[in-house]
Coordinates of all heavy atoms in Angstrom, one line a residue:
V374 N -137.0 222.2 -170.0 CA -136.4 223.4 -169.4 C -134.9 223.1 -168.9 O -134.1 224.0 -168.7 CB -137.1 224.0 -168.2 CG1 -138.4 224.6 -168.6 CG2 -137.4 222.9 -167.1
S375 N -134.5 221.8 -168.9 CA -133.2 221.4 -168.4 C -132.8 220.1 -169.2 O -133.5 219.2 -169.3 CB -133.4 221.2 -166.9 OG -132.2 220.8 -166.4
I376 N -131.5 220.1 -169.6 CA -130.9 219.0 -170.2 C -129.6 218.7 -169.6 O -128.7 219.5 -169.6 CB -130.7 219.2 -171.8 CG1 -132.1 219.4 -172.4 CG2 -130.1 217.9 -172.4 CD1 -132.1 219.5 -173.9
E377 N -129.4 217.5 -169.0 CA -128.2 217.1 -168.4 C -127.4 216.2 -169.2 O -127.9 215.4 -170.0 CB -128.6 216.3 -167.2 CG -127.6 215.8 -166.3 CD -128.1 215.1 -165.0 OE1 -129.2 215.4 -164.5 OE2 -127.5 214.0 -164.6
D378 N -126.1 216.3 -169.1 CA -125.1 215.5 -169.8 C -125.5 215.2 -171.3 O -125.7 214.1 -171.8 CB -124.9 214.1 -169.2 CG -123.9 214.3 -168.0 OD1 -123.3 215.4 -167.8 OD2 -123.6 213.3 -167.2
P379 N -125.7 216.3 -172.1 CA -126.1 216.1 -173.5 C -124.9 215.6 -174.4 O -125.2 215.1 -175.6 CB -126.4 217.6 -174.0 CG -125.8 218.5 -173.0 CD -125.7 217.8 -171.7
F380 N -123.7 215.7 -173.9 CA -122.5 215.1 -174.7 C -121.7 214.3 -173.8 O -121.8 214.2 -172.6 CB -121.8 216.3 -175.2 CG -122.6 217.2 -176.0 CD1 -123.1 218.4 -175.5 CD2 -123.0 216.9 -177.3 CE1 -123.9 219.2 -176.3 CE2 -123.8 217.7 -178.1 CZ -124.2 218.9 -177.5
D381 N -120.7 213.8 -174.4 CA -119.7 212.9 -173.6 C -118.9 213.8 -172.6 O -118.8 214.9 -172.9 CB -118.7 212.3 -174.6 CG -117.5 211.5 -174.0 OD1 -117.9 210.5 -173.3 OD2 -116.4 211.9 -173.9
Q382 N -118.4 213.1 -171.5 CA -117.7 213.9 -170.5 C -116.5 214.6 -170.8 O -116.0 215.4 -170.0 CB -117.5 212.9 -169.3 CG -116.7 211.6 -169.7 CD -117.2 210.4 -168.9 OE1 -117.7 210.5 -167.8 NE2 -117.0 209.2 -169.6
D383 N -115.9 214.3 -172.0 CA -114.7 215.1 -172.5 C -115.0 215.9 -173.7 O -114.1 216.4 -174.2 CB -113.6 214.1 -172.7 CG -113.0 213.6 -171.4 OD1 -112.8 214.4 -170.5 OD2 -112.7 212.4 -171.3
D384 N -116.3 215.9 -174.1 CA -116.5 216.7 -175.3 C -116.9 218.2 -175.0 O -118.0 218.7 -175.2 CB -117.8 216.0 -176.1 CG -117.8 216.4 -177.5 OD1 -117.0 217.3 -178.0 OD2 -118.7 215.8 -178.3
W385 N -115.9 218.9 -174.4 CA -116.0 220.2 -174.0 C -116.5 221.2 -175.0 O -117.4 222.0 -174.8 CB -114.7 220.9 -173.4 CG -114.2 220.0 -172.2 CD1 -113.2 219.0 -172.2 CD2 -114.6 220.2 -170.8 NE1 -113.0 218.6 -171.0 CE2 -113.8 219.3 -170.0 CE3 -115.5 221.1 -170.2 CZ2 -113.9 219.2 -168.7 CZ3 -115.6 221.0 -168.8 CH2 -114.9 220.1 -168.1
E386 N -116.0 221.0 -176.3 CA -116.4 221.8 -177.3 C -117.9 221.9 -177.7 O -118.6 222.9 -177.9 CB -115.7 221.4 -178.6 CG -114.5 222.2 -179.1 CD -114.0 221.5 -180.3 OE1 -114.8 221.1 -181.2 OE2 -112.7 221.2 -180.3
A387 N -118.5 220.6 -177.6 CA -119.9 220.5 -177.9 C -120.7 221.1 -176.8 O -121.7 221.9 -177.1 CB -120.2 219.0 -178.0
Y388 N -120.3 221.0 -175.6 CA -120.9 221.7 -174.5 C -120.9 223.2 -174.6 O -122.0 223.9 -174.5 CB -120.2 221.4 -173.1 CG -120.8 220.1 -172.5 CD1 -120.1 218.9 -172.6 CD2 -121.9 220.2 -171.7 CE1 -120.8 217.7 -172.0 CE2 -122.5 219.0 -171.1 CZ -121.8 217.9 -171.3 OH -122.4 216.8 -170.6
S389 N -119.7 223.7 -175.0 CA -119.6 225.2 -175.2 C -120.5 225.7 -176.3 O -121.2 226.7 -176.1 CB -118.2 225.6 -175.6 OG -117.4 225.2 -174.5
S390 N -120.7 224.9 -177.4 CA -121.6 225.5 -178.4 C -123.0 225.3 -178.0 O -123.8 226.2 -178.3 CB -121.3 224.8 -179.9 OG -121.2 223.5 -179.7
M391 N -123.4 224.4 -177.3 CA -124.7 224.2 -176.8 C -125.1 225.3 -175.9 O -126.2 226.0 -176.0 CB -125.0 222.9 -176.1 CG -126.5 222.7 -175.7 SD -127.0 221.0 -175.5 CE -128.5 221.2 -174.6
V392 N -124.2 225.6 -174.9 CA -124.5 226.8 -174.0 C -124.6 228.0 -174.7 O -125.5 228.9 -174.5 CB -123.3 226.9 -172.9 CG1 -123.4 228.1 -172.0 CG2 -123.4 225.6 -172.0
E393 N -123.8 228.3 -175.7 CA -123.8 229.5 -176.5 C -125.2 229.6 -177.3 O -125.8 230.6 -177.3 CB -122.6 229.6 -177.4 CG -122.5 231.0 -178.0 CD -121.3 231.1 -178.9 OE1 -120.3 230.4 -178.8 OE2 -121.6 231.8 -179.9
E394 N -125.5 228.4 -177.8 CA -126.7 228.6 -178.7 C -128.0 228.5 -178.0 O -129.1 229.0 -178.5 CB -126.6 227.5 -179.8 CG -125.5 227.8 -180.8 CD -125.4 226.7 -181.9 OE1 -126.5 226.2 -182.3 OE2 -124.2 226.2 -182.1
M395 N -128.1 227.7 -176.9 CA -129.3 227.5 -176.2 C -129.4 227.8 -174.7 O -130.4 227.6 -174.0 CB -129.8 226.0 -176.4 CG -129.5 225.4 -177.7 SD -129.8 223.6 -177.7 CE -131.5 223.4 -176.9
G396 N -128.2 228.2 -174.2 CA -128.0 228.3 -172.8 C -129.1 229.2 -172.0 O -129.3 229.1 -170.8
K397 N -129.6 230.2 -172.8 CA -130.6 231.2 -172.1 C -131.8 230.5 -171.7 O -132.4 230.7 -170.7 CB -130.8 232.3 -173.1 CG -129.7 233.5 -172.9 CD -130.3 234.8 -173.0 CE -129.4 235.9 -172.5 NZ -128.2 236.0 -173.4
S398 N -132.4 229.7 -172.7 CA -133.7 229.2 -172.5 C -133.6 227.8 -171.9 O -134.6 227.4 -171.3 CB -134.4 229.1 -173.9 OG -133.6 228.4 -174.8
V399 N -132.5 227.1 -172.0 CA -132.5 225.8 -171.4 C -131.2 225.6 -170.5 O -130.1 226.2 -170.8 CB -132.2 224.7 -172.6 CG1 -132.1 223.3 -172.0 CG2 -133.4 224.8 -173.5

Side-chain angles (χ1 to χ4, degrees):
V374 292
S375 178
I376 299 183
E377 180 183 325
D378 279 356
F380 305 100
D381 178 67
Q382 55 216 334
D383 283 316
D384 200 352
W385 297 97
E386 254 176 51
Y388 271 96
S389 299
S390 49
M391 180 156 169
V392 169
E393 196 184 324
E394 291 179 44
M395 317 171 52
K397 276 222 164 64
S398 55
V399 178

